[in-house]
C-alpha cells in the first residue's frame, strides 16, 4: 500500500503551482472573471507548451494539475477540454473543446447515454444536428464541441466545429464567471459522426470528470482555508487576533478536517479510475459527496470568518465559493451521489 | 500511489485470515453482536493466543517479542480483525500508549521488565493522568512525588482511570518539584498498582459499567528506577503518550467503525428502515465519512512510513472518528423507534445499539475532548494564535 504521489508527480505539482501563481494572481483572475470572455485565449498555447494537454499525462498527473488549477482558480477551458471532450474521445484536443450532453430529455451524463432530444440526421453532405444542448461548460471558449445526439433510436457522439459555426453558440450568464455555461442552438448544423460507443464514452467522462473535479475542489478549499487563516491571524478585535477565538478557530479546524477527508477520497478516486478498479464508481461517488461538502462548507466558513470583507465582490473568496457550487452542481447534486451510494451499500 | 497489497503484505493478510478462521468459531463473523461488557479472563486467553502466534506488537522491536514490521502490517491486522469482529488485545493502554512510550523513552531495564508482559497480556497498564482539577488542562496536575533516597513518595488523587481496577501498573504523571508551574517540574512514573497506599474505587459510567476508577495514592513508594525519561521532564514523555493515544488509535478505531457500519446496514434492513429515502441518505452520508476516515488513515500511514513522523492528517482522525461514531450509533438507535428504549433481553440484539450509543458519548471526551483537539488543529496545524 502506498498512498502518496511520486516524486515526479510532486515536481509537476510544484511547477504548476509556480506557473499559476505567476500567471494568475488574484487580481488577474478578478479582471478576467469580470471581463466579457472570462479567460485569455493566449493561455491555450502556454498550457500546450507546459504539457498540460499532453496525451501522455495519466489521470493521476491530471489530478495533480486539477488540484493546483482549483487552488489558483485557473480561468481557462482546460477542464472542459481534458476531462469532458478529451475523456469522451480518448485524448486531449489540440484546440479548446467541450462536451454537450444535457438537453430537454437528459440532465445527467447517465441519462444522456440512454436518451437525448437533440436529433442527428444524415443527408447527402453528411450529418446534421438539430436541437438545443443546455448547460454546456466553457462553450464560449471552445473551438470544438462533442455533442450527444439521437441517431434513429440510439445516442451517438458527434463533433461540431464551433469555429466554423459561431452562430450556434449562446453563452449565458453564469454565477461562476470563471467557468461559464451556455447553450448550443443547433439547427441542421453540420457535424462529424464519431465512431465511438457513446455509452462507454459518457461513463468514462463521468468518472474522470468527477474525480478531477474532486481534486479541483480540494485545491480551492485549501485556498479558501489559507485566505481565512491568514485573515484570522492578522485581524484583531477586542485587542486579540480573531483566530484566538474558538468561534473562529474551531470553524477553521472543521474546514481542515473536512478537507483532509475530501482530499484523501479525491486522490483515491483518481487512482481507482486510472486503474479501472472495481471500486471506481463507489470511489467517485464518495469523492464527489465529500468534495462538495468540503468545498461549499469550507468557503461558507471562510466567508463567515472574514466578516464584512468576505461578503464583498472585491475579495476573491466569492469566486472560490461560486466554483465550489459549480462543482457541487455538476452532473446532478451530492444527494444524487448519495442515493447511488445508498444503492451500493443497502441494495 | 497504489492501494493494493504488496506480495509480502498479501501473504501476511492471507496467513492472518487463515489463522483467525482457525482460532475463532466457524460462524463468528456472522453471529449477532453482543452487548460490549468485558470478559476479563477470556480477553486474557485471547491475548496470549495472539502473542504466541506473533500477532501482538507487530511494529514493536523483536527483542521484546514484537515483529519489527512496518505500520502497514498493523493496519492490515486491524482491518482483518475488525472484519471478522475478532476480540481485542487486552492491553488497550499498555499496547497503545504505555508500551510505545517506554519504547521511546524507557531505560533498557524498563523495556526488559514491561514490554513482553504487555504483549502477552500478563501485565495490564492503566493511565493516571487526569485528576479532579486537571482534565483538559493536564499540565495543572497536582499529585506530588517527593524524592527520598532511591524512592519517590507519591501522594494525590487520579480520576477516570480506565482499567485501574485490573491493572498491574500505572503510567502516572506527577509534580516532582513543589511549587513548579504548568509543564515544568513534572515526572512520569511507572507505578506498581499492588504497592501499599494505592486504593482504587470504581466509578459507574453512563452505560452502567464500571470501566474507569478513582485512584487514591497515599505515601506510595516508587523506586527512582521507575522514572521514564528525566526527573522533571515528564511533560515531554506524556506528550508521546498522548500522541499515541490520539494518533495510533485512529486506525484501530476506524477499522472497528467499518464493522459497526455493516451492523447499521443490517439493522436498517431488519427494521425495514432501509427503504426510507431519508434513512438511505443519512446512511450514505455516514458511508462517505467512513471512507474519508479510512483513506485519510492510509495517507497518514504512508506519510509515517516515508518520513518517520505522522502527517497532520493524523490529528484529525480521532476528532472525526469520535463524532462519526456518535452519529452512527445515534442513527442506529433511532432506527429502532420505541424499541430503542428497551434494554437487555427482549431488546433488538439485546440492547447492543443502546449500549453503543451511550458508550459513544465518551468518545468526544476521552483522549482529549473535541474542543481540545480542535484547539490543537487550529494552533499546531493551521498556526492560529493560542486561544488563551
Ligand atoms: C471513558 C473515559 C475514559 C477515560 N480514561 C482515562 C484514563 O484511563 N486515564 C486518564 O488519565 N484519563 C481518562 N479519562 C479522562 C479524560 O482524559 C478527561 O475526561 C478529559 O481530558 C476531559 O477532562 P475533564 O473531564 O476534566 O473535563 P474538563 O477539562 O473540565 O472539560 C469540560 C468541558 O470544557 C471544555 N473545555 C475545557 N477546556 C477547554 C478549552 N481550553 N477550550 C474549549 N473548551 C474547553 C471541554 O472540551 C469539555 O467540553 C477518561 C475519560 C472518559 C470519558
Amino acid at each position: 500500500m502506498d498512498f502518496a504521489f511520486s516524486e515526479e508527480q510532486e515536481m509537476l505539482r510544484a511547477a504548476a503551482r509556480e506557473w499559476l501563481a505567476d500567471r494568475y494572481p488574484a487580481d488577474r483572475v478578478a479582471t478576467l472573471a469580470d471581463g466579457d470572455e472570462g479567460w485569455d485565449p493566449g493561455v491555450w498555447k502556454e498550457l500546450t507548451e507546459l504539457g498540460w494537454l499532453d496525451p501522455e499525462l495519466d489521470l493521476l498527473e491530471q489530478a495533480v494539475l486539477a488540484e493546483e488549477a482549483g487552488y489558483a482558480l485557473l480561468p481557462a477551458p482546460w477542464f472542459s477540454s481534458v476531462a469532458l471532450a478529451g475523456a469522451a474521445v480518448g485524448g486531449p484536443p489540440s484546440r479548446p473543446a467541450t462536451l454537450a450532453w444535457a438537453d430537454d430529455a437528459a440532465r445527467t451524463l447517465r441519462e444522456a447515454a440512454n436518451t437525448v432530444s437533440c436529433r442527428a440526421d444524415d443527408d447527402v453532405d453528411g450529418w446534421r444536428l438539430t436541437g438545443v444542448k443546455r448547460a454546456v461548460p466553457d462553450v464560449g471558449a471552445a473551438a470544438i464541441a462533442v455533442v450527444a445526439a439521437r441517431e434513429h433510436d440510439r445516442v451517438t457522439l458527434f463533433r461540431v466545429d464551433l469555429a466554423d459555426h459561431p452562430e450556434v453558440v449562446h453563452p449565458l450568464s453564469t454565477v461562476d464567471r470563471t467557468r461559464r455555461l451556455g447553450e448550443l442552438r443547433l439547427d441542421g448544423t453540420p457535424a462529424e459522426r464519431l465512431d465511438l460507443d457513446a455509452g462507454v464514452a459518457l461513463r468514462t467522462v463521468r468518472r474522470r470528470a468527477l474525480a478531477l473535479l474532486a481534486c479541483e475542489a480540494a485545491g480551492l478549499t485549501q485556498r479558501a482555508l489559507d485566505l481565512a487563516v491568514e485573515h484570522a491571524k492578522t485581524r484583531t478585535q477586542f485587542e486579540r487576533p480573531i483566530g484566538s477565538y474558538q468561534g473562529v478557530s474551531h470553524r477553521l479546524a472543521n474546514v481542515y478536517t473536512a478537507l483532509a477527508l475530501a482530499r484523501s477520497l479525491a486522490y483515491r478516486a483518481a487512482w481507482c479510475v486510472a486503474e479501472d478498479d472495481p471500486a471506481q464508481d463507489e470511489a467517485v461517488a464518495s469523492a464527489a459527496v465529500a468534495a462538495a461538502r468540503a468545498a461549499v462548507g469550507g468557503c461558507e466558513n471562510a466567508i463567515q470568518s472574514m466578516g464584512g470583507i468576505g461578503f464583498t465582490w472585491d475579495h476573491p473568496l466569492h469566486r472560490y465559493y461560486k466554483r465550489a457550487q459549480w462543482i457541487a452542481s455538476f452532473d446532478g447534486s451530492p444527494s444524487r451521489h448519495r442515493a447511488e451510494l445508498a444503492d451500493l451499500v443497502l441494495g | 500511489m497504489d492501494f493494493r497489497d504488496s506480495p509480502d503484505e498479501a501473504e501476511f493478510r492471507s496467513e492472518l485470515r487463515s489463522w483467525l478462521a482457525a482460532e475463532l468459531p466457524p460462524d463468528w463473523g456472522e453471529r449477532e453482536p453482543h452487548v460490549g461488557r468485558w470478559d476479563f479472563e477470556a480477553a486474557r486467553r485471547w491475548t496470549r493466543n495472539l502473542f504466541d502466534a506473533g500477532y501482538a506488537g507487530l511494529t514493536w522491536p523483536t527483542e521484546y517479542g514484537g515483529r519489527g514490521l512496518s505500520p502497514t502490517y498493523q493496519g492490515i491486522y486491524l482491518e482483518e480483525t475488525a472484519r471478522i469482529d475478532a476480540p481485542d488485545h487486552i492491553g488497550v493502554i499498555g499496547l497503545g500508549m504505555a508500551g510505545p512510550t517506554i519504547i521511546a523513552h524507557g531505560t533498557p531495564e524498563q523495556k526488559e521488565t514491561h514490554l513482553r508482559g504487555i504483549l502477552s497480556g500478563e501485565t495490564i497498564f492503566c493511565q493516571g493522568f487526569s485528576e479532579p482539577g486537571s482534565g483538559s488542562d493536564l499540565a495543572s496536575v497536582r499529585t506530588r512525588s517527593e524524592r527520598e533516597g532511591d524512592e519517590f513518595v507519591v501522594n494525590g488523587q487520579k480520576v477516570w482511570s480506565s482499567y485501574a481496577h485490573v491493572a498491574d501498573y500505572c503510567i502516572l504523571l506527577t509534580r516532582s518539584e513543589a511549587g513548579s508551574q504548568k509543564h515544568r517540574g513534572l515526572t512520569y512514573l511507572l507505578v506498581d498498582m499492588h504497592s501499599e497506599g494505592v486504593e482504587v474505587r470504581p466509578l459507574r459510567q453512563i452505560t452502567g459499567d464500571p470501566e474507569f476508577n478513582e485512584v487514591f495514592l497515599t505515601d506510595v513508594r516508587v523506586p527512582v528506577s521507575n522514572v521514564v525519561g528525566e526527573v522533571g521532564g515528564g511533560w515531554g514523555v506524556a506528550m508521546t503518550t498522548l500522541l499515541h493515544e490520539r494518533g495510533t488509535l485512529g486506525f484501530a478505531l476506524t477499522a472497528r467503525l467499518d464493522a459497526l457500519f455493516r451492523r447499521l446496514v443490517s439493522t436498517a434492513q431488519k427494521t425495514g428502515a432501509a427503504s426510507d429515502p431519508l434513512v438511505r441518505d443519512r446512511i450514505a452520508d455516514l458511508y462517505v465519512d467512513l471512507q474519508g476516515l479510512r483513506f485519510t488513515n492510509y495517507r497518514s500511514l504512508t506519510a509515517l512510513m516515508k518520513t518517520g513522523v505522522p502527517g497532520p492528517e493524523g490529528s484529525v482522525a480521532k476528532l472525526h472518528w469520535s463524532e462519526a461514531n456518535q452519529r452512527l450509533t445515534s442513527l442506529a438507535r433511532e432506527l429502532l423507534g420505541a424499541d430503542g428504549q428497551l434494554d437487555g433481553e427482549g431488546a433488538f440484539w439485546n440492547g447492543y445499539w443502546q449500549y453503543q450509543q451511550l458508550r459513544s458519548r465518551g468518545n468526544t471526551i476521552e483522549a482529549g475532548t473535541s474542543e481540545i483537539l480542535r484547539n490543537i488543529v487550529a494552533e499546531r496545524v493551521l498556526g492560529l494564535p493560542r486561544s488563551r
Side-chain angles (χ1 to χ4, degrees), chain A residues 195-272:
Chain A
D195 189 16
L196 291 168
D197 181 328
V200 171
L202 293 175
R203 204 157 49 234
T204 305
V205 168
R206 183 168 180 277
R207 289 171 177 154
R208 297 179 81 93
L210 285 172
L212 290 179
L213 283 178
C215 295
E216 185 179 294
L220 81 82
T221 310
Q222 182 70 59
R223 183 65 172 272
L225 180 60
D226 287 354
L227 288 168
V229 164
E230 195 45 43
H231 184 75
K233 280 184 196 171
T234 46
R235 167 76 174 166
T236 60
Q237 286 290 280
F238 305 100
E239 288 151 20
R240 284 164 55 179
I242 56 166
S244 69
Y245 296 108
Q246 290 176 335
V248 174
S249 68
H250 285 192
R251 225 177 238 291
L252 299 180
N254 288 345
V255 173
Y256 176 82
T257 306
L259 170 58
L261 268 55
R263 177 174 273 146
S264 307
L265 289 177
Y267 295 169
R268 174 203 175 216
W271 183 83
C272 283

Side-chain angles (χ1 to χ4, degrees), chain B residues 101-108 110 152 186-190 224-238 240:
Chain B
T101 306
I102 293 171
I103 291 172
H105 300 283
T107 62
Q110 288 166 354
F152 276 100
L186 297 174
T187 294
Y188 193 110
L189 297 172
L190 302 176
V224 169
S225 58
N226 284 16
V227 171
V228 184
E230 301 292 318
V231 171
W235 184 251
V237 185
T240 300

Side-chain angles (χ1 to χ4, degrees), chain B residues 16-17 19-25 27-31 34 38 42-43 46-47 49-50 55 76-90 252 255-256 259 262-263:
Chain B
L16 172 59
R17 256 188 216 185
W19 184 80
L20 288 168
E23 292 298 314
L24 293 167
D27 59 342
W28 185 267
E30 282 94 56
R31 92 215 132 101
H34 51 234
W38 221 40
W46 177 255
T47 301
N49 231 2
L50 281 176
Y55 289 120
I76 293 172
Y77 169 83
L78 291 167
E79 278 181 1
E80 290 301 321
T81 49
R83 181 199 307 278
I84 192 166
D85 195 30
D88 279 323
H89 188 285
I90 198 170
R256 293 277 163 178
R262 288 197 299 275
R263 289 192 191 134

